[in-house]
Amino acid sequence: FAVASSRTQVWIPDPEEVWKSAELLKDYKPGDKVLLLHLEEGKDLEYRLDPKTKELPHLRNPDILVGENDLTALSYLHEPAVLHNLRVRFIDSKLIYTYCGIVLVAINPYEQLPIYGEDIINAYSGQNMGDMDPHIFAVAEEAYKQMHIINMMWETLKQFVKRREK
């Protein structure tokens, strides 16, 4: 960000948690060497900006976007935003699947989950990808539909070629 005002939420690197959420306590002005931050855990911190890169911390997404089922819906799509969103979906909501556009991101829970039964298969059958929560069955259903469409187009093309040959 070029200029940020106090109360702007950011991500700062952390050696233990990888990224920590913080809020600016004082407006940032170009040339500032330190940001005064308030960490989510309640501590205040003077965060030194790298004098070589002068890189500012990544901005946090608005709270309304936390837990989005498609990462492309996030306002800011960078490492801390992606990791935070996946963490919220997995730890808070027990959801292992998240879309990133047409890509399905899966977190291995290292345990059996009741999300692959016949009832789940039936729930996703005939649905459009994106109509329901992200799931491998939604991707499979979309692939099946696309194969069926391509097959129908191929058959139509073969019939057209046959007629032209006569």
Side-chain angles (χ1 to χ4, degrees):
F1 53 90
V3 178
S5 59
S6 62
R7 310 213 35 94
T8 298
Q9 294 186 322
V10 297
W11 292 106
I12 59 168
D14 182 74
E16 289 179 29
E17 294 182 36
V18 183
W19 297 100
K20 275 192 178 181
S21 176
E23 185 176 286
L24 265 69
L25 292 176
K26 182 182 158 216
D27 290 356
Y28 165 79
K29 292 176 187 67
D32 284 353
K33 294 176 180 15
V34 174
L35 298 178
L36 186 56
L37 303 174
H38 180 74
L39 300 176
E40 258 185 2
E41 62 205 37
K43 296 179 187 174
D44 288 349
L45 169 77
E46 281 192 3
Y47 179 77
R48 295 210 170 280
L49 298 174
D50 185 329
K52 291 178 187 163
T53 65
K54 296 183 177 135
E55 250 182 53
L56 295 168
H58 293 291
L59 292 173
R60 270 193 62 152
N61 284 295
D63 288 342
I64 194 164
L65 296 177
V66 172
E68 266 296 324
N69 72 3
D70 190 336
L71 296 172
T72 62
L74 299 177
S75 297
Y76 307 110
L77 190 58
H78 44 59
E79 180 184 341
V82 168
L83 292 175
H84 179 67
N85 199 71
L86 292 174
R87 181 177 191 222
V88 166
R89 287 184 56 76
F90 180 65
I91 293 178
D92 297 351
S93 303
K94 307 291 186 235
L95 298 168
I96 68 167
Y97 293 117
T98 304
Y99 290 125
C100 187
I102 62 169
V103 175
L104 183 67
V105 179
I107 295 179
N108 187 342
Y110 295 103
E111 64 182 69
Q112 290 284 29
L113 298 175
I115 60 172
Y116 301 109
E118 194 73 32
D119 55 332
I120 304 293
I121 293 171
N122 292 333
Y124 280 88
S125 182
Q127 299 294 321
N128 291 319
M129 201 164 123
D131 287 351
M132 297 178 66
D133 277 336
H135 197 286
I136 192 68
F137 293 158
V139 174
E141 181 66 23
E142 184 65 22
Y144 178 78
K145 282 181 187 175
Q146 293 300 319
M147 286 189 321
H148 184 69
I149 289 168
I150 289 170
N151 187 46
M152 286 178 14
M153 290 169 60
W154 182 247
E155 289 302 320
T156 302
L157 182 61
K158 285 191 327 190
Q159 288 176 5
F160 176 76
V161 169
K162 256 187 190 176
R163 283 189 209 132
R164 300 259 316 162
E165 289 175 346
K166 290 182 181 180

